[in-house]
Amino acid sequence: MTRHKLSAAASTSQERPLPAIVKRWILRIMVPLKGYRQLLTFHGFSDDALAEAIGLGEWLDPAIMDLDAEKILSELKALAHSEEKGKAPALPSSLQRNINKLATLAGLSRTDCSILAFAVMIENHELLESAADLLERVSTSELCRILSHLLEIPESEIRHSLQPQGLLARSGLLTVDRSGAAPFSRKFDLLSQSFADTIFSADAEPVYLLRDVLVPASPAKLQWQDYAHVVDLMSILQSYMANAVPRKLQGVNILIHGLPGTGKSQLARVLAQHLNRDLFEVAFADESGDPINGDRRLRAYRAAQCFFANRDVLLVFDEAEDVLDGSSLFSEKRTQSSKAWINRTLEDNPVPAIWLSNAVDCVDDAVIRRFDMVIELPIPSRNYRNRIVKTMCGEILSENEIAQLSLCSDLSPAIVENAISVASIACNNETGLNSAQIIRSVLNGTLTAQGHRPIADEPPSYLPDVYDPTLINCETDLLALCRNLKICKSARLCLTGSPGTGKTAYAKWLARELDQPIIVKKASDLLGMFVGQTEQNIAAAFSEAKKEGAVLVIDEVDSMLQDRRSVTASWEVSMVNELLTQLESFDGVFIASTNLMGHLDQAALRRFDLKLHFDFLTPEQSEKLLERYCHALKLANPTPASLISVRTIANLTPGDFMTVARRHRFLPIKSPMAFVDALHAESGIKGGVSRSIGFIH
């Protein structure tokens, strides 16, 4: 055998002597467990630093060209024998104290403590790890045998301690890789990356030991009254938690779900504040900023349940779909084990827990039923959105600007808070924008990225000053209809007719006359990408209208009320059924508009109290609208020639007049006849024909 030169690692090991207990473990690995077979190679030592640390340093002299393997082995055995004759070395005092604390909190056995201490030491001492890995790849069974020898504990006790149902695993402190053979050191998986370091601290508290997986929650920014849009559920939640928590009932678990940004995390903080309890959140990322996967977050949760069992705290597990969602095709093993654990432990966890999720569609029913309460947190109603925006932006935005933002039904507290934060930093002379403009731009960027419509420049209820329901060509007396609706306050109306004939405009006018807000949804706003999502969106729209006391309008309803006799997909039938079900239970004013009356489901048509057909303008209506728009645009009074000309356009709609009027903003119209010429052009695009002048009828 020839030898290598003395390595830098060996030099370092001379400066830092091994703890006595580590040296004993290494020598047991070398001799009884025959690790020397990998340490002594044909070319010398496989690890000079390791050889130096265990007392074979004289063989590292570069002057020694040939190593006597038999002599080295004999010397190594003598070192091991001498070590075993000495007094049993102790663990570092700080490590021993903290493991004793954990033992008290989690109820760990002496065997549990010994195994945990060894796993911590192998994580902190590179030479111990190197020595253990000389044993090459080991199975779980071999791991138990090796630990039994190293720790002088019966193998049966080791196996019992390391079983999946053991306290080490259930507490999340230490798990063992059972997937197959692996290097010895890789078989252990401690709670977190920092756990092996922090457990050496002189006076480590449980929170400190868990600092990269469990963090104290920030103070709440909202208040209890900000959740008045779910007042009934909040009242029940408050009463339940106020009685259950002081009594230290086991298995107290609340599931709160809803779209991102609806205030779920804030609600957990508000509740903890209301109950005068500290709140700790299972972290998404460790101290290095790296994401923490669902399995490790579950382990952190288990550890927190053990550590905080006798403390007055609440736990919150945000993004709970990481562990509750069983839909992934690629995580069957994980989800099954997670579900099994949840089904077993949600019923007796000592620390009350609040679970937050963006979606619960894929959560198993058996898991859901184990929660004491399941609360859906919707986006607040317009009134409450107005109050929240005012609370957050009252010093920045005017009343009109606040009201405009509040009209957006997709506006959540979280994105408002973010927009305000950006505006507070970016609002300066360099941008050329004021706070209101910055907030609006940031909000629109977020809303668009989430798949929502941006905040409209005009509110949904906007109508031009020239609007007049008498200038809509409909057989029904629209003014009389409005008077009657003011009395009965409930109706289901279906408005049909070509685009631009004034269906949506009449709905806005009607809502204004009824002194009710209006919610306008296009069919595309409600159609979802996933199974069941459309039905949820439909239900949410009706729910919002009920809460707001609003007139609900669904435009292009033919996309959602297709004749069920002609559809082929089950989701299409389900969509129609959901809309009809919601329609039956809605006692406000509902308006559906469509350009394709013949495509609607016959059963759906029977649900409408009144079907109103909006037709093209009559010649008289066209003439009056021309006069009104000329006045509004400050043009001259229409000439007789322009009035005659506008009466000849057969397929003219109020929408055509609005289109030409909008064009006037950037391409000014200079005369009434120029306005009529533009109307003729719009009519021609639609393929319209002119009426015969003759005797005007």
Side-chain angles (χ1 to χ4, degrees):
M1 289 174 62
T2 58
R3 70 138 294 94
H4 302 274
K5 292 183 178 180
L6 181 67
S7 68
S11 300
T12 303
S13 70
Q14 291 177 331
E15 300 172 2
R16 281 188 314 172
L18 283 180
I21 193 168
V22 173
K23 185 175 181 180
R24 172 168 290 195
W25 285 335
I26 292 177
L27 285 170
R28 286 177 177 177
I29 292 171
M30 289 296 108
V31 181
L33 297 174
K34 296 181 171 51
Y36 67 84
R37 295 175 176 175
Q38 299 298 322
L39 180 64
L40 298 174
T41 71
F42 180 78
H43 299 288
F45 295 116
S46 61
D47 192 321
D48 288 356
L50 188 56
E52 167 77 11
I54 59 179
L56 300 177
E58 73 269 15
W59 294 98
L60 299 174
D61 189 345
I64 302 175
M65 300 303 297
D66 294 310
L67 302 182
D68 189 333
E70 291 186 5
K71 192 172 181 180
I72 292 174
L73 179 57
S74 177
E75 189 174 327
L76 184 58
K77 289 180 178 180
L79 289 169
H81 180 71
S82 175
E83 177 63 36
E84 295 296 338
K85 289 176 63 177
K87 182 181 179 181
L91 292 170
S93 58
S94 58
L95 175 61
Q96 187 64 68
R97 282 196 303 271
N98 289 324
I99 284 183
N100 290 341
K101 291 179 183 178
L102 296 181
T104 301
L105 290 169
L108 302 178
S109 68
R110 291 184 63 182
T111 300
D112 294 332
C113 293
S114 296
I115 296 173
L116 181 61
F118 180 83
V120 169
M121 294 293 281
I122 203 172
E123 184 72 19
N124 276 276
H125 291 277
E126 186 178 352
L127 290 178
L128 178 58
E129 178 183 355
S130 298
D133 287 344
L134 289 176
L135 301 175
E136 297 185 323
R137 300 174 68 86
V138 298
S139 66
T140 302
S141 178
E142 292 169 328
L143 175 70
C144 294
R145 177 182 61 79
I146 294 169
L147 286 176
S148 174
H149 191 90
L150 292 176
L151 304 178
E152 298 182 285
I153 298 173
E155 187 175 339
S156 60
E157 293 186 20
I158 298 289
R159 291 184 183 279
H160 179 77
S161 188
L162 291 182
Q163 64 183 340
Q165 295 77 30
L167 274 175
L168 285 175
R170 285 193 286 118
S171 67
L173 292 171
L174 178 68
T175 59
V176 173
D177 180 4
R178 298 176 179 275
S179 61
F184 187 95
S185 61
R186 303 286 179 85
K187 297 292 287 185
F188 296 116
D189 187 12
L190 290 167
L191 176 63
S192 69
Q193 291 183 351
S194 67
F195 179 77
D197 295 326
T198 56
I199 200 169
F200 280 96
S201 302
D203 293 302
E205 292 295 322
V207 175
Y208 183 67
L209 292 172
L210 298 175
R211 71 180 192 270
D212 65 342
V213 290
L214 199 72
V215 295
S218 303
K221 295 182 179 180
L222 297 180
Q223 300 177 358
W224 196 261
Q225 55 265 34
D226 292 320
Y227 294 90
H229 55 293
V230 286
V231 61
D232 292 341
L233 286 172
M234 290 294 291
S235 178
I236 298 171
L237 176 62
Q238 177 185 0
S239 178
Y240 176 72
M241 295 295 284
N243 287 280
V245 173
R247 293 163 59 185
K248 298 186 180 300
L249 297 180
Q250 291 190 327
V252 176
N253 293 280
I254 307 298
L255 176 60
I256 303 173
H257 66 99
L259 295 173
T262 49
K264 301 184 294 294
S265 298
Q266 286 293 319
L267 176 55
R269 297 170 188 178
V270 168
L271 181 61
Q273 186 173 294
H274 186 75
L275 297 173
N276 196 28
R277 299 278 166 147
D278 292 329
L279 182 69
F280 291 90
E281 300 176 349
V282 178
F284 307 101
D286 60 23
E287 288 187 315
S288 303
D290 297 323
I292 304 174
N293 64 33
D295 285 339
R296 195 162 294 278
R297 295 183 71 212
L298 265 183
R299 288 179 60 185
Y301 175 84
R302 297 171 188 166
Q305 286 290 342
C306 289
F307 293 174
F308 294 155
N310 296 314
R311 289 183 58 174
D312 294 334
V313 303
L314 299 180
L315 293 177
V316 60
F317 198 116
D318 204 350
E319 306 290 345
E321 56 268 24
D322 282 355
V323 298
L324 300 181
D325 187 350
S327 63
S328 175
L329 298 176
F330 304 100
S331 57
E332 182 177 355
K333 183 177 180 181
R334 179 187 69 80
T335 55
Q336 288 301 317
S337 64
S338 297
K339 188 174 78 172
W341 177 84
I342 291 170
N343 289 345
R344 185 172 64 251
T345 64
L346 283 182
E347 298 174 351
D348 57 8
N349 56 295
V351 182
I354 303 168
W355 301 71
L356 311 178
S357 176
N358 296 327
V360 295
D361 298 346
C362 299
V363 181
D364 193 277
D365 289 344
V367 174
I368 286 185
R369 69 177 177 83
R370 284 171 165 81
F371 289 96
D372 303 322
M373 290 185 66
V374 179
I375 299 172
E376 182 180 7
L377 198 60
I379 290 178
S381 65
R382 185 176 66 172
N383 291 336
Y384 290 107
R385 289 198 303 273
N386 186 280
R387 195 165 70 82
I388 291 173
V389 174
K390 191 172 184 177
T391 300
M392 294 180 172
C393 313
E395 298 180 357
I396 303 175
L397 304 180
S398 67
E399 289 286 344
N400 288 336
E401 290 167 336
I402 292 172
Q404 185 68 16
L405 293 183
S406 303
L407 290 171
C408 179
S409 60
D410 299 308
L411 200 65
S412 63
I415 66 174
V416 174
E417 181 183 357
N418 177 69
I420 294 170
S421 176
V422 173
S424 65
I425 299 172
C427 186
N428 53 50
N429 294 330
E430 295 178 5
T431 65
L433 302 173
N434 58 36
S435 295
Q437 292 170 319
I438 294 173
I439 289 174
R440 189 186 186 93
S441 295
V442 174
L443 289 175
N444 282 340
T446 303
L447 289 169
T448 302
Q450 292 178 333
H452 305 308
R453 295 180 181 275
I455 298 169
D457 294 328
E458 299 174 345
S461 58
Y462 171 77
L463 281 172
D465 294 337
V466 299
Y467 181 81
D468 187 344
T470 64
L471 300 181
I472 291 177
N473 187 7
C474 181
E475 294 181 353
T476 302
D477 188 339
L478 299 179
L479 296 177
L481 175 61
C482 177
R483 290 193 297 270
N484 294 330
L485 284 177
K486 288 181 179 180
I487 300 172
C488 70
K489 301 183 183 301
S490 178
R492 306 165 191 165
L493 308 179
C494 182
L495 313 185
T496 70
S498 299
T501 50
K503 303 182 293 295
T504 304
Y506 178 70
K508 294 178 179 181
W509 178 84
L510 188 60
R512 189 178 69 185
E513 293 299 304
L514 297 175
D515 196 23
Q516 294 179 241
I518 186 170
I519 297 173
V520 180
K521 299 286 187 180
K522 291 185 177 294
S524 56
D525 298 333
L526 301 176
L527 293 173
M529 296 176 57
F530 307 105
V531 176
Q533 189 176 6
T534 299
E535 290 86 341
Q536 292 179 358
N537 294 341
I538 292 171
F542 277 92
S543 177
E544 182 186 358
K546 289 177 182 178
K547 291 176 181 177
E548 301 277 3
V551 174
L552 177 60
V553 181
I554 296 182
D555 200 6
E556 303 168 351
V557 78
D558 47 275
S559 302
M560 308 188 70
L561 285 181
Q562 303 174 58
D563 194 331
R564 284 170 289 186
R565 295 172 299 180
S566 62
V567 299
T568 57
S570 60
W571 66 267
E572 294 177 298
V573 176
S574 177
M575 173 180 65
V576 175
N577 291 339
E578 179 64 29
L579 184 52
L580 295 182
T581 299
Q582 293 292 338
L583 187 58
E584 288 285 352
S585 62
F586 187 65
D587 59 359
V589 177
F590 173 78
I591 300 175
S593 69
T594 176
N595 305 327
L596 303 169
M597 184 74 163
H599 291 191
L600 298 187
D601 186 88
Q602 294 301 307
L605 283 175
R606 291 194 295 270
R607 297 306 203 281
F608 290 101
D609 305 317
L610 190 62
K611 277 79 74 175
L612 305 178
H613 180 70
F614 286 43
D615 208 342
F616 298 117
L617 295 170
T618 66
E620 292 79 13
Q621 290 173 326
S622 298
E623 183 179 309
K624 290 180 180 179
L625 267 180
L626 178 62
E627 292 173 343
R628 294 195 177 204
Y629 272 97
C630 286
H631 178 74
L633 300 180
K634 295 181 171 55
L635 303 178
N637 292 328
T639 62
S642 63
L643 292 173
I644 292 173
S645 183
V646 77
R647 293 170 68 99
T648 65
I649 308 175
N651 61 349
L652 205 56
T653 69
D656 296 329
F657 281 85
M658 291 185 65
T659 299
V660 175
R662 285 195 302 269
R663 188 186 309 165
H664 177 73
R665 295 176 299 174
F666 56 87
L667 193 62
I669 297 170
K670 299 181 179 180
S671 68
M673 185 55 77
F675 196 107
V676 175
D677 290 340
L679 291 174
H680 274 285
E682 287 294 319
S683 175
I685 293 173
K686 296 184 290 185
V689 295
S690 298
R691 298 188 183 98
S692 174
I693 298 179
F695 292 99
I696 299 176
H697 44 272

